């Protein structure tokens, strides 16, 4: 979606990013890097339609030579609508010459995550004055093995139904903000084998997919 915002507020977020010092190798660091402010210069300059029209005039003969105007710009990807369910997909491979190599590095992730530093200040479904957008972990998919073969397992939290979350999913209605993770028992599922595990076991897994539900 392309929008024209005040340059002074276009790159503002719900929470101050300057106070963040995300630890490298964490999901916070991944989100911080993905939503960082980038400067587009030289060969990455942005084609500006407004500048082009100002330079060439609005009524250009199609057959005439038209000079396009490129300008320096800033680019930032932020969340404009906080989802009821947050799914984070970690890139677990990297290019090594002509081959793909699996990345087995452990990425730290929390039981409760705050998306506010990664949301635009005008996030559509966050109440005015809120500086936190909290999510509670309820599922993890883990892959063991290599790029050629392996095995998928899952960690799932069994918890009581969240009626407030259902209202948000079905009708877009939100309630008062909670700050604690949703209570429940974690289970490790591998094919037909299911066994209870501790939250520390879950947080030490080699996450490939992370599933969070919004705390409401």
């Amino acid at each position: 979606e392309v929008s024209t915002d005040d340059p002074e507020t276009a790159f503002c977020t719900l929470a101050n990013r300057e106070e963040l010092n995300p630890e490298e190798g964490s999901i916070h660091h991944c989100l911080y890097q993905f939503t960082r402010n980038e400067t587009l210069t030289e060969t990455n300059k942005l084609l500006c339609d407004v500048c082009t029209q100002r330079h060439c005039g609005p009524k250009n003969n199609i057959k005439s030579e038209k000079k396009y105007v490129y300008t320096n710009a800033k680019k930032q990807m932020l969340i404009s609508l906080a989802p009821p369910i947050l799914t984070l997909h970690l890139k677990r491979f990297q290019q090594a010459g002509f081959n793909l190599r699996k990345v087995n590095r452990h990425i730290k992730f929390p039981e409760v995550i705050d998306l506010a530093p990664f949301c635009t200040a005008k996030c559509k479904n966050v109440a005015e004055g809120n500086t936190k957008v909290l999510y509670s972990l309820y599922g993890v998919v883990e892959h063991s093995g290599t790029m050629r073969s392996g095995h998928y397992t899952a960690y799932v939290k069994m918890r009581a139904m969240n009626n407030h979350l259902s209202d948000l999913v079905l009708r877009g209605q939100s309630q008062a903000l909670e700050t604690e993770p949703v209570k429940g028992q974690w289970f490790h599922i591998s094919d037909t084998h299911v066994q209870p595990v501790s939250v520390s076991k879950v947080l030490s897994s080699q996450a490939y997919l992370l599933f969070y539900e919004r705390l409401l």
Side-chain angles (χ1 to χ4, degrees):
E1 179 182 348
V2 178
S3 60
T4 53
D5 292 333
D6 183 348
E8 297 297 324
T9 60
F11 297 93
C12 293
T13 52
L14 281 175
N16 191 350
R17 290 169 65 92
E18 295 178 0
E19 297 178 358
L20 285 177
N21 186 23
E23 179 184 358
E24 189 171 352
S26 68
I27 200 69
H28 288 98
H29 186 261
C30 295
L31 287 168
Y32 185 84
Q33 290 293 98
F34 187 77
T35 59
R36 72 186 187 279
N37 194 321
E38 300 178 60
T39 302
L40 306 178
T41 60
E42 299 179 353
T43 57
N44 291 321
K45 283 184 178 181
L46 188 70
L47 171 60
C48 179
D49 292 333
V50 175
C51 300
T52 299
Q53 285 190 5
R54 187 183 299 130
H55 182 267
C56 303
K59 297 180 180 180
N60 281 289
N61 188 327
I62 297 177
K63 295 182 179 179
S64 66
E65 183 179 351
K66 183 175 181 179
K67 288 188 176 180
Y68 293 99
V69 178
Y70 294 82
T71 182
N72 293 335
K74 288 198 300 182
K75 168 191 169 185
Q76 187 174 27
M77 298 179 67
L78 295 171
I79 298 169
S80 62
L81 185 69
I85 301 298
L86 173 68
T87 304
L88 299 176
H89 184 181
L90 301 181
K91 183 180 177 182
R92 281 290 180 184
F93 65 91
Q94 67 182 42
Q95 192 81 27
F98 294 100
N99 299 316
L100 291 176
R101 184 170 64 87
K102 186 185 174 188
V103 177
N104 290 308
R105 181 180 182 183
H106 175 67
I107 301 297
K108 295 182 180 179
F109 55 94
E111 196 175 0
V112 173
I113 190 169
D114 184 9
L115 279 193
F118 316 110
C119 292
T120 174
K122 297 180 181 179
C123 201
K124 297 173 184 176
N125 58 345
V126 176
E128 186 175 353
N130 277 1
T131 57
K132 289 184 179 296
V133 183
L134 300 180
Y135 287 81
S136 178
L137 184 71
Y138 75 90
V140 179
V141 172
E142 182 180 41
H143 179 268
S144 58
T146 66
M147 292 291 295
R148 293 181 177 274
S149 64
H151 182 58
Y152 288 97
T153 60
Y155 294 91
V156 179
K157 179 189 281 188
M158 187 178 70
R159 69 244 189 267
M161 181 177 177
N162 187 337
N163 292 321
H164 293 332
L165 186 65
S166 299
D167 289 337
L168 179 62
V169 172
L170 298 175
R171 291 180 285 277
Q173 300 173 352
S174 59
Q175 305 291 328
L177 184 70
E178 298 176 4
T179 58
E180 297 296 324
V182 178
K183 294 181 180 179
Q185 172 63 54
W186 281 97
F187 290 90
H188 183 229
I189 303 169
S190 177
D191 293 334
T192 59
H193 301 282
V194 179
Q195 61 179 2
V197 293
S198 64
V199 65
S200 60
K201 173 69 174 176
V202 176
L203 297 180
S204 64
S205 64
Q206 297 279 44
Y208 178 55
L209 289 167
L210 294 169
F211 298 91
Y212 287 87
E213 59 183 347
R214 191 168 172 187
L215 285 173
L216 299 170

